[in-house]
Amino acid sequence: QVQLVESGGGLVQAGGSLRLSCAASGRTFSSYVMGWFRQAPGKERESVARISWSTGSTLYADSVKGRFTISRDNAKNTVYLQMNSLKPEDTGVYYCAATPKGWGSRFDYWGQGTQVTVSS
């Protein structure tokens, strides 16, 4: 049973930073693609960033390029999202997700989400 547990959300002023963590368990994730998504109130969920656990290849939404960095720690089975220069429009619930099916596949497993609020 795959379990993804996010942490690290909170309230921060615009221009500040937060680091989200996603602790993964229940599988060997070496062949998985891991992703971070977010959903703002009244909006659809959107992809923020993803990373290949095996190769370390990454992909970012245009809105976060240059500000956010996704990374993974193999020893801790944890994926991180470092968020810098935060803007009020980054506010939302951030979800960690995983898929064993490859880079362009739908994500099968989801965490419960962590709230990020950026005040202006």
Side-chain angles (χ1 to χ4, degrees), residues 27-51:
R27 289 284 192 279
T28 299
F29 290 93
S30 57
S31 63
Y32 276 57
V33 175
M34 307 295 293
W36 284 98
F37 291 75
R38 68 186 180 190
Q39 187 165 21
K43 293 189 177 181
E44 292 187 355
R45 185 172 59 197
E46 62 173 347
S47 176
V48 173
R50 62 186 65 189
I51 185 168

mmCIF file of all heavy atoms in Angstrom, residues 27-51:
data_model
loop_
_atom_site.group_PDB
_atom_site.id
_atom_site.type_symbol
_atom_site.label_atom_id
_atom_site.label_comp_id
_atom_site.label_asym_id
_atom_site.label_seq_id
_atom_site.Cartn_x
_atom_site.Cartn_y
_atom_site.Cartn_z
ATOM 1 N N ARG A 27 6.366 0.945 -0.979
ATOM 2 C CA ARG A 27 6.889 0.415 -2.244
ATOM 3 C C ARG A 27 8.375 0.762 -2.350
ATOM 4 O O ARG A 27 8.885 1.569 -1.592
ATOM 5 C CB ARG A 27 6.190 1.061 -3.451
ATOM 6 C CG ARG A 27 4.771 0.659 -3.681
ATOM 7 C CD ARG A 27 4.636 -0.715 -4.297
ATOM 8 N NE ARG A 27 3.297 -0.968 -4.766
ATOM 9 C CZ ARG A 27 2.283 -1.345 -3.996
ATOM 10 N NH1 ARG A 27 2.480 -1.512 -2.706
ATOM 11 N NH2 ARG A 27 1.084 -1.561 -4.513
ATOM 12 N N THR A 28 9.004 0.184 -3.335
ATOM 13 C CA THR A 28 10.315 0.657 -3.764
ATOM 14 C C THR A 28 10.066 1.661 -4.883
ATOM 15 O O THR A 28 9.484 1.319 -5.910
ATOM 16 C CB THR A 28 11.176 -0.508 -4.289
ATOM 17 O OG1 THR A 28 11.364 -1.462 -3.243
ATOM 18 C CG2 THR A 28 12.528 0.024 -4.755
ATOM 19 N N PHE A 29 10.482 2.895 -4.663
ATOM 20 C CA PHE A 29 10.069 3.976 -5.552
ATOM 21 C C PHE A 29 11.087 4.292 -6.645
ATOM 22 O O PHE A 29 10.930 5.295 -7.349
ATOM 23 C CB PHE A 29 9.781 5.229 -4.718
ATOM 24 C CG PHE A 29 8.539 5.097 -3.887
ATOM 25 C CD1 PHE A 29 8.601 4.643 -2.578
ATOM 26 C CD2 PHE A 29 7.300 5.403 -4.417
ATOM 27 C CE1 PHE A 29 7.464 4.503 -1.812
ATOM 28 C CE2 PHE A 29 6.146 5.276 -3.658
ATOM 29 C CZ PHE A 29 6.228 4.824 -2.351
ATOM 30 N N SER A 30 12.085 3.452 -6.797
ATOM 31 C CA SER A 30 13.174 3.765 -7.717
ATOM 32 C C SER A 30 12.716 3.955 -9.151
ATOM 33 O O SER A 30 13.362 4.632 -9.936
ATOM 34 C CB SER A 30 14.248 2.687 -7.649
ATOM 35 O OG SER A 30 13.689 1.424 -7.934
ATOM 36 N N SER A 31 11.579 3.364 -9.525
ATOM 37 C CA SER A 31 11.095 3.506 -10.898
ATOM 38 C C SER A 31 9.913 4.454 -11.009
ATOM 39 O O SER A 31 9.310 4.597 -12.070
ATOM 40 C CB SER A 31 10.683 2.131 -11.443
ATOM 41 O OG SER A 31 9.616 1.610 -10.684
ATOM 42 N N TYR A 32 9.588 5.122 -9.931
ATOM 43 C CA TYR A 32 8.415 5.990 -9.905
ATOM 44 C C TYR A 32 8.737 7.398 -10.399
ATOM 45 O O TYR A 32 9.869 7.868 -10.346
ATOM 46 C CB TYR A 32 7.864 6.095 -8.483
ATOM 47 C CG TYR A 32 6.937 4.973 -8.080
ATOM 48 C CD1 TYR A 32 7.344 3.647 -8.124
ATOM 49 C CD2 TYR A 32 5.643 5.249 -7.645
ATOM 50 C CE1 TYR A 32 6.488 2.618 -7.757
ATOM 51 C CE2 TYR A 32 4.781 4.238 -7.260
ATOM 52 C CZ TYR A 32 5.208 2.923 -7.317
ATOM 53 O OH TYR A 32 4.361 1.909 -6.953
ATOM 54 N N VAL A 33 7.684 8.077 -10.845
ATOM 55 C CA VAL A 33 7.708 9.517 -11.061
ATOM 56 C C VAL A 33 6.892 10.146 -9.928
ATOM 57 O O VAL A 33 5.772 9.705 -9.646
ATOM 58 C CB VAL A 33 7.111 9.897 -12.422
ATOM 59 C CG1 VAL A 33 7.026 11.415 -12.567
ATOM 60 C CG2 VAL A 33 7.939 9.297 -13.549
ATOM 61 N N MET A 34 7.484 11.130 -9.301
ATOM 62 C CA MET A 34 6.839 11.815 -8.187
ATOM 63 C C MET A 34 6.478 13.227 -8.608
ATOM 64 O O MET A 34 7.208 13.871 -9.382
ATOM 65 C CB MET A 34 7.781 11.876 -6.986
ATOM 66 C CG MET A 34 8.347 10.535 -6.565
ATOM 67 S SD MET A 34 7.105 9.383 -5.964
ATOM 68 C CE MET A 34 6.599 10.201 -4.458
ATOM 69 N N GLY A 35 5.357 13.705 -8.103
ATOM 70 C CA GLY A 35 4.936 15.038 -8.493
ATOM 71 C C GLY A 35 4.361 15.838 -7.345
ATOM 72 O O GLY A 35 3.938 15.275 -6.333
ATOM 73 N N TRP A 36 4.387 17.144 -7.515
ATOM 74 C CA TRP A 36 3.679 18.057 -6.628
ATOM 75 C C TRP A 36 2.606 18.774 -7.440
ATOM 76 O O TRP A 36 2.876 19.255 -8.549
ATOM 77 C CB TRP A 36 4.632 19.089 -6.023
ATOM 78 C CG TRP A 36 5.507 18.562 -4.934
ATOM 79 C CD1 TRP A 36 6.804 18.145 -5.050
ATOM 80 C CD2 TRP A 36 5.146 18.385 -3.562
ATOM 81 N NE1 TRP A 36 7.270 17.722 -3.826
ATOM 82 C CE2 TRP A 36 6.275 17.864 -2.892
ATOM 83 C CE3 TRP A 36 3.986 18.620 -2.821
ATOM 84 C CZ2 TRP A 36 6.267 17.570 -1.532
ATOM 85 C CZ3 TRP A 36 3.984 18.329 -1.470
ATOM 86 C CH2 TRP A 36 5.114 17.814 -0.830
ATOM 87 N N PHE A 37 1.419 18.830 -6.869
ATOM 88 C CA PHE A 37 0.292 19.512 -7.481
ATOM 89 C C PHE A 37 -0.248 20.510 -6.464
ATOM 90 O O PHE A 37 0.026 20.413 -5.261
ATOM 91 C CB PHE A 37 -0.813 18.515 -7.846
ATOM 92 C CG PHE A 37 -0.443 17.581 -8.968
ATOM 93 C CD1 PHE A 37 0.429 16.523 -8.758
ATOM 94 C CD2 PHE A 37 -0.971 17.752 -10.237
ATOM 95 C CE1 PHE A 37 0.783 15.654 -9.787
ATOM 96 C CE2 PHE A 37 -0.643 16.896 -11.275
ATOM 97 C CZ PHE A 37 0.235 15.859 -11.045
ATOM 98 N N ARG A 38 -1.042 21.455 -6.928
ATOM 99 C CA ARG A 38 -1.684 22.375 -5.998
ATOM 100 C C ARG A 38 -3.080 22.712 -6.500
ATOM 101 O O ARG A 38 -3.367 22.647 -7.696
ATOM 102 C CB ARG A 38 -0.867 23.652 -5.818
ATOM 103 C CG ARG A 38 -0.796 24.542 -7.047
ATOM 104 C CD ARG A 38 0.168 25.698 -6.807
ATOM 105 N NE ARG A 38 0.268 26.576 -7.963
ATOM 106 C CZ ARG A 38 1.166 27.537 -8.093
ATOM 107 N NH1 ARG A 38 2.064 27.753 -7.109
ATOM 108 N NH2 ARG A 38 1.196 28.291 -9.179
ATOM 109 N N GLN A 39 -3.920 23.083 -5.540
ATOM 110 C CA GLN A 39 -5.288 23.491 -5.869
ATOM 111 C C GLN A 39 -5.652 24.704 -5.035
ATOM 112 O O GLN A 39 -5.658 24.643 -3.799
ATOM 113 C CB GLN A 39 -6.282 22.361 -5.621
ATOM 114 C CG GLN A 39 -7.676 22.676 -6.108
ATOM 115 C CD GLN A 39 -8.560 21.448 -6.198
ATOM 116 O OE1 GLN A 39 -8.291 20.431 -5.562
ATOM 117 N NE2 GLN A 39 -9.602 21.540 -6.989
ATOM 118 N N ALA A 40 -5.935 25.788 -5.724
ATOM 119 C CA ALA A 40 -6.373 27.013 -5.066
ATOM 120 C C ALA A 40 -7.889 26.994 -4.955
ATOM 121 O O ALA A 40 -8.570 26.327 -5.733
ATOM 122 C CB ALA A 40 -5.910 28.221 -5.866
ATOM 123 N N PRO A 41 -8.444 27.739 -4.004
ATOM 124 C CA PRO A 41 -9.907 27.773 -3.848
ATOM 125 C C PRO A 41 -10.589 28.183 -5.146
ATOM 126 O O PRO A 41 -10.215 29.184 -5.770
ATOM 127 C CB PRO A 41 -10.109 28.823 -2.761
ATOM 128 C CG PRO A 41 -8.839 28.834 -1.993
ATOM 129 C CD PRO A 41 -7.760 28.548 -2.984
ATOM 130 N N GLY A 42 -11.567 27.390 -5.549
ATOM 131 C CA GLY A 42 -12.325 27.710 -6.745
ATOM 132 C C GLY A 42 -11.629 27.415 -8.052
ATOM 133 O O GLY A 42 -12.149 27.735 -9.124
ATOM 134 N N LYS A 43 -10.453 26.801 -7.981
ATOM 135 C CA LYS A 43 -9.702 26.515 -9.203
ATOM 136 C C LYS A 43 -9.433 25.023 -9.320
ATOM 137 O O LYS A 43 -9.515 24.281 -8.348
ATOM 138 C CB LYS A 43 -8.382 27.286 -9.199
ATOM 139 C CG LYS A 43 -8.550 28.798 -9.291
ATOM 140 C CD LYS A 43 -7.218 29.471 -9.497
ATOM 141 C CE LYS A 43 -7.386 30.978 -9.666
ATOM 142 N NZ LYS A 43 -6.079 31.657 -9.889
ATOM 143 N N GLU A 44 -9.081 24.612 -10.514
ATOM 144 C CA GLU A 44 -8.743 23.213 -10.735
ATOM 145 C C GLU A 44 -7.336 22.924 -10.206
ATOM 146 O O GLU A 44 -6.487 23.811 -10.137
ATOM 147 C CB GLU A 44 -8.813 22.881 -12.222
ATOM 148 C CG GLU A 44 -10.217 22.925 -12.795
ATOM 149 C CD GLU A 44 -10.262 22.423 -14.228
ATOM 150 O OE1 GLU A 44 -9.204 22.128 -14.799
ATOM 151 O OE2 GLU A 44 -11.372 22.344 -14.772
ATOM 152 N N ARG A 45 -7.135 21.662 -9.890
ATOM 153 C CA ARG A 45 -5.801 21.232 -9.456
ATOM 154 C C ARG A 45 -4.837 21.357 -10.640
ATOM 155 O O ARG A 45 -5.183 21.033 -11.777
ATOM 156 C CB ARG A 45 -5.864 19.793 -8.979
ATOM 157 C CG ARG A 45 -4.573 19.275 -8.399
ATOM 158 C CD ARG A 45 -4.793 17.908 -7.789
ATOM 159 N NE ARG A 45 -5.283 16.953 -8.749
ATOM 160 C CZ ARG A 45 -5.852 15.797 -8.443
ATOM 161 N NH1 ARG A 45 -6.018 15.469 -7.172
ATOM 162 N NH2 ARG A 45 -6.244 14.981 -9.385
ATOM 163 N N GLU A 46 -3.630 21.830 -10.354
ATOM 164 C CA GLU A 46 -2.640 22.006 -11.415
ATOM 165 C C GLU A 46 -1.315 21.373 -11.012
ATOM 166 O O GLU A 46 -0.969 21.306 -9.833
ATOM 167 C CB GLU A 46 -2.431 23.495 -11.724
ATOM 168 C CG GLU A 46 -1.889 24.316 -10.571
ATOM 169 C CD GLU A 46 -1.546 25.739 -10.974
ATOM 170 O OE1 GLU A 46 -1.481 26.039 -12.173
ATOM 171 O OE2 GLU A 46 -1.329 26.553 -10.052
ATOM 172 N N SER A 47 -0.588 20.940 -12.038
ATOM 173 C CA SER A 47 0.730 20.374 -11.803
ATOM 174 C C SER A 47 1.723 21.487 -11.515
ATOM 175 O O SER A 47 1.736 22.510 -12.186
ATOM 176 C CB SER A 47 1.172 19.576 -13.028
ATOM 177 O OG SER A 47 2.482 19.092 -12.849
ATOM 178 N N VAL A 48 2.561 21.267 -10.518
ATOM 179 C CA VAL A 48 3.580 22.254 -10.148
ATOM 180 C C VAL A 48 4.961 21.778 -10.603
ATOM 181 O O VAL A 48 5.700 22.519 -11.246
ATOM 182 C CB VAL A 48 3.578 22.483 -8.630
ATOM 183 C CG1 VAL A 48 4.740 23.381 -8.211
ATOM 184 C CG2 VAL A 48 2.248 23.055 -8.167
ATOM 185 N N ALA A 49 5.299 20.543 -10.261
ATOM 186 C CA ALA A 49 6.616 20.013 -10.604
ATOM 187 C C ALA A 49 6.574 18.496 -10.508
ATOM 188 O O ALA A 49 5.729 17.933 -9.808
ATOM 189 C CB ALA A 49 7.689 20.561 -9.662
ATOM 190 N N ARG A 50 7.476 17.856 -11.224
ATOM 191 C CA ARG A 50 7.607 16.408 -11.128
ATOM 192 C C ARG A 50 9.064 16.016 -11.293
ATOM 193 O O ARG A 50 9.861 16.773 -11.862
ATOM 194 C CB ARG A 50 6.727 15.685 -12.144
ATOM 195 C CG ARG A 50 7.030 15.971 -13.575
ATOM 196 C CD ARG A 50 5.984 15.316 -14.482
ATOM 197 N NE ARG A 50 4.656 15.883 -14.293
ATOM 198 C CZ ARG A 50 3.543 15.379 -14.823
ATOM 199 N NH1 ARG A 50 3.615 14.283 -15.560
ATOM 200 N NH2 ARG A 50 2.387 15.939 -14.609
ATOM 201 N N ILE A 51 9.379 14.812 -10.777
ATOM 202 C CA ILE A 51 10.755 14.336 -10.818
ATOM 203 C C ILE A 51 10.759 12.830 -11.021
ATOM 204 O O ILE A 51 9.920 12.121 -10.458
ATOM 205 C CB ILE A 51 11.510 14.723 -9.517
ATOM 206 C CG1 ILE A 51 12.984 14.333 -9.606
ATOM 207 C CG2 ILE A 51 10.854 14.108 -8.286
ATOM 208 C CD1 ILE A 51 13.844 14.946 -8.495
#
